[in-house]
Structure formats: C-alpha cells, structure tokens
Amino acid sequence: MPISARNVFKGSVTAIKEGPIHAEVVVTTPGGDSIVATLTEASVQSLGLKLGSTAVAVIKAPSVSLMSGAPEYRFSARNQLTGTVSAIHAGAINSQVTLTLAGGSRLVAVVTNDAVSALGLKTGEAAIALFKAGHVMVGVPV
C-alpha cells in the first residue's frame, strides 16, 4: 500500500473503548508494540473494527516528538514509546530520526537538527517517541 506517511504499523485491534462520540482503538503489532488511536464512533463503525480485526496504524513523522534521558514530567500524549535510536539522517534544517521499538517495529520522527543536538540523540542510545492518539489514522484491508 503506497502512502506518504513513514510510519505504518501493521497489526490487529487489541482494544476498543467506545464512547458516545469518540472511541479509543489500540492496534498491536505482531512484536507487541501498541499504538493508541482516537477515532470517531462513526469511523469505528464504517471500518468495521472489532477485537482481532486486522488493521494498520499510520502516523506522519512530523507528528512525532522525541525525548531523551529520564523524564522530568508526565505528558498527556497517549502514545509514549521507548526505543533505541537506530538511524539519524540530517538535512539542512531537520533530521529524520529512526527508533527501533521493543517489539522490533521502527518509528520515524522528523525533528529539527537543533533538537537532535539539544537532546543528545545518538545511534544506539535510548529515546522516547511521543505522539497524540488523535494524530493516528487507522486503516483496514479492503
């Protein structure tokens, strides 16, 4: 499936928490990495999402923030995934940073070169990816 977003996590729906307007849907990869998405109830119904459904979670790389070191604060971002920096590709202004998550999935963030420097990001070092559940799109096979 060609798509411009760099982060496409194939997996299955492992949780659905429904509400009157929105639902929280968890897509878990075969390696155990879980992505939480906030969708409208209408989307849950139109996609036919049920526990065990095959699905993809899609996150655009610029929607991912990174954090390094021991957290000093708690954040409202529903997705906070710890990984190891496996690649950093610097551009003129921004860098593409790839994390390998515990379950083996790779997640890409686009952050400024200044952020890479300020966070002390280096290949082989731990980092945390943060992104809001509202920035996650969910897709199902046709």
Side-chain angles (χ1 to χ4, degrees):
M1 165 182 85
I3 189 167
S4 64
R6 291 185 187 103
N7 298 301
V8 179
F9 296 89
K10 295 179 182 180
S12 61
V13 175
T14 55
I16 300 175
K17 182 178 179 182
E18 299 194 47
I21 299 171
H22 289 97
E24 183 178 89
V25 176
V26 180
V27 176
T28 303
T29 67
D33 298 314
S34 293
I35 308 295
V36 180
T38 301
L39 309 175
T40 63
E41 274 295 322
S43 290
V44 170
Q45 299 307 314
S46 70
L47 293 172
L49 295 175
K50 294 177 179 30
L51 289 178
S53 296
T54 298
V56 293
V58 179
I59 308 102
K60 292 188 62 72
S63 296
V64 180
S65 295
L66 298 175
M67 184 169 56
S68 65
E72 296 179 33
Y73 298 95
R74 292 184 313 187
F75 292 95
S76 62
R78 192 70 176 83
N79 294 286
Q80 300 182 30
L81 305 171
T82 301
T84 302
V85 176
S86 51
I88 300 173
H89 293 83
I93 297 167
N94 293 325
S95 289
Q96 176 178 295
V97 180
T98 303
L99 297 185
T100 300
L101 305 178
S105 299
R106 291 182 181 234
L107 181 130
V108 177
V110 173
V111 297
T112 65
N113 294 336
D114 289 343
V116 170
S117 178
L119 293 170
L121 296 176
K122 293 180 178 32
T123 303
E125 298 287 330
I128 300 169
L130 298 100
F131 52 96
K132 304 287 280 181
H135 289 158
V136 179
M137 294 180 288
V138 174
V140 296
V142 284

